[in-house]
């Protein structure tokens, strides 16, 4: 019996040390049981984890104050909008399915690492309701509080308004003269993609690093990054290409160049079969 008590006390002491070194001060241990487990100690994922891998779904509240869509192959989150002080603002919703958090970032031409809002949320799929319930507003850049708001989930059927930056894929023309790619590191929270263009001058080819911004009004601009790391560094830098674009089909866009200071017009007509139209496909 003494040996049993000795080993029991040893096991209890070991458990207490384990909890202490795990940094879980809010957990209370009792012999052989775990009482009032804190969230950081639990290995259980939040209900939002059920959305991982979901695509072509959208979320919005009944009053259209906030919403976003998850497209095919996108990062675990999506682009949308949120009302800030009465104005609808473009936003990226970054879903942390493990901890049940949603960070909402401003979508702009400049990199923004500070979320406008941080929500605690849960995925709901019962009693005929399917979507996301915002349990509380942990952080707000304004006086807006979205605690208790429910975002209904629906399938995305109209894909005509999907922008190139909503895909995390590589786009290229048929001959590979214009190549741009979206991924989590390059275009999250923004509407820009990075890539390269082949420019032919005096009979030789040179690679030009570019940054292309796709606007919501279906216009685009291209910046030459040859002499600078990013257009964001030099506000005086002017775009070398301006034009419009349209979605042709799934992951296929047609660019129409209106102003061009990047490609040599005569050569470009040989580089691109339908210049000033350039078709980008994933």
């Amino acid at each position: 019996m003494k040996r049993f008590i000795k080993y029991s006390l040893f096991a209890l002491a070991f458990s207490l040390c384990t909890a202490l070194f795990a940094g879980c001060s809010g957990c209370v241990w009792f012999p052989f049981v775990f009482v009032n487990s804190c969230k950081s100690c639990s290995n259980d994922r939040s209900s939002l984890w059920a959305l991982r891998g979901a695509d072509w779904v959208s979320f919005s509240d009944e009053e259209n104050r906030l919403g976003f869509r998850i497209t095919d192959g996108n990062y675990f989150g999506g682009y949308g909008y949120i009302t800030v002080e009465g104005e609808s603002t473009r936003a990226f919703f970054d879903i942390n399915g493990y901890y049940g958090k949603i960070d909402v970032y401003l979508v702009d031409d400049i990199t923004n690492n500070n979320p406008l809002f941080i929500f605690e949320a849960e995925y709901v799929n019962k009693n005929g309701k399917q979507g996301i319930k915002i349990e509380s507003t942990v952080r707000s850049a304004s006086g807006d509080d979205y605690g208790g708001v429910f975002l209904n989930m629906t399938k995305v059927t109209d894909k005509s308004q999907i922008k190139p930056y909503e895909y995390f894929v590589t786009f290229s023309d048929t001959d590979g003269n214009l190549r741009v790619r979206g991924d989590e590191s390059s275009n999250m929270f923004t509407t820009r993609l990075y890539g390269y263009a082949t420019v032919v001058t005096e009979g030789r080819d040179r690679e030009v690093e570019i940054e292309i911004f796709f606007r919501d009004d279906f216009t685009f601009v291209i910046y030459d990054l040859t002499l600078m790391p990013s257009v964001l560094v030099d506000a005086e830098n002017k775009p070398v290409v301006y034009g419009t674009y349209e979605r042709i089909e799934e992951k296929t866009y047609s660019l129409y160049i209106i102003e061009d200071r990047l490609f040599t017009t005569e050569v470009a007509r040989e580089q691109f079969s339908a210049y000033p139209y350039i078709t980008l496909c994933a």
Side-chain angles (χ1 to χ4, degrees):
M1 175 64 71
K2 291 183 179 180
R3 179 175 298 180
F4 174 78
I5 295 175
K6 176 181 178 181
Y7 284 117
S8 297
L9 291 173
F10 175 79
L12 175 60
F14 178 80
S15 299
L16 288 171
C17 290
T18 302
L20 179 62
F21 283 101
C24 188
S25 58
C27 302
V28 179
W29 282 81
F30 196 74
F32 310 115
V33 295
F34 190 45
V35 182
N36 295 329
S37 170
C38 65
K39 192 171 184 178
S40 62
C41 283
S42 175
N43 289 323
D44 294 336
R45 298 162 178 163
S46 81
S47 58
L48 286 181
W49 191 265
L51 294 175
R52 181 166 289 276
D55 54 35
W56 297 121
V57 292
S58 65
F59 300 88
S60 63
D61 70 315
E62 293 181 354
E63 298 180 7
N64 291 321
R65 289 175 294 172
L66 71 163
F68 66 97
R69 61 193 175 204
I70 301 176
T71 57
D72 177 38
N74 208 327
Y75 180 75
F76 190 38
Y79 290 87
Y81 61 93
I82 189 167
T83 303
V84 182
E85 297 181 344
E87 293 187 9
S88 182
T89 305
R90 291 281 289 142
F92 184 88
F93 290 70
D94 184 16
I95 301 177
N96 188 325
Y98 197 95
Y99 292 107
K101 303 279 188 182
I102 299 179
D103 296 339
V104 184
Y105 293 86
L106 173 69
V107 171
D108 205 344
D109 291 348
I110 54 178
T111 302
N112 183 359
N113 295 322
N114 297 316
L116 290 172
F117 297 88
I118 298 178
F119 299 136
E120 283 191 345
E122 64 174 347
Y123 170 66
V124 177
N125 187 11
K126 60 182 179 181
N127 299 327
K129 297 184 68 175
Q130 186 175 15
I132 295 175
K133 180 183 179 182
I134 299 176
E135 297 178 317
S136 64
T137 301
V138 178
R139 173 180 176 178
S140 175
S142 64
D144 300 289
D145 184 3
Y146 287 98
V149 172
F150 186 81
L151 304 178
N152 293 290
M153 186 173 85
T154 58
K155 282 288 185 181
V156 174
T157 55
D158 180 9
K159 301 178 182 179
S160 63
Q161 300 299 308
I162 302 295
K163 309 301 190 300
Y165 57 80
E166 294 188 72
Y167 295 106
F168 290 150
V169 296
T170 297
F171 290 99
S172 174
D173 73 296
T174 305
D175 299 315
N177 290 309
L178 185 62
R179 308 172 304 284
V180 292
R181 176 176 175 78
D183 56 44
E184 296 132 29
S185 61
S186 69
N187 76 308
M188 189 157 55
F189 320 146
T190 75
T191 66
R192 70 179 186 269
L193 306 181
Y194 290 99
Y196 294 89
T198 300
V199 178
V200 180
T201 56
E202 299 178 354
R204 65 185 182 88
D205 297 353
R206 66 183 181 95
E207 289 282 301
V208 176
E209 187 176 0
I210 62 171
E211 198 168 44
I212 179 169
F213 288 80
F214 292 97
R215 312 297 189 187
D216 285 344
D217 62 357
F218 286 89
T219 62
F220 74 93
V221 291
I222 297 178
Y223 290 88
D224 183 349
L225 302 186
T226 304
L227 301 177
M228 62 179 185
S230 171
V231 64
L232 308 178
V233 177
D234 183 4
E236 298 300 320
N237 187 69
K238 304 299 181 184
V240 292
V241 175
Y242 165 79
T244 61
Y245 70 96
E246 64 174 326
R247 184 180 184 274
I248 304 302
E249 58 185 25
E250 186 77 11
K251 299 178 184 177
T252 302
Y253 293 84
S254 176
L255 311 185
Y256 174 65
I257 296 178
I258 298 175
E259 298 177 8
D260 186 1
R261 294 188 295 110
L262 178 64
F263 300 104
T264 304
T265 305
E266 293 75 14
V267 179
R269 294 185 185 280
E270 298 180 3
Q271 281 185 271
F272 305 101
S273 58
Y275 184 89
Y277 290 95
I278 298 176
T279 300
L280 293 180
C281 300

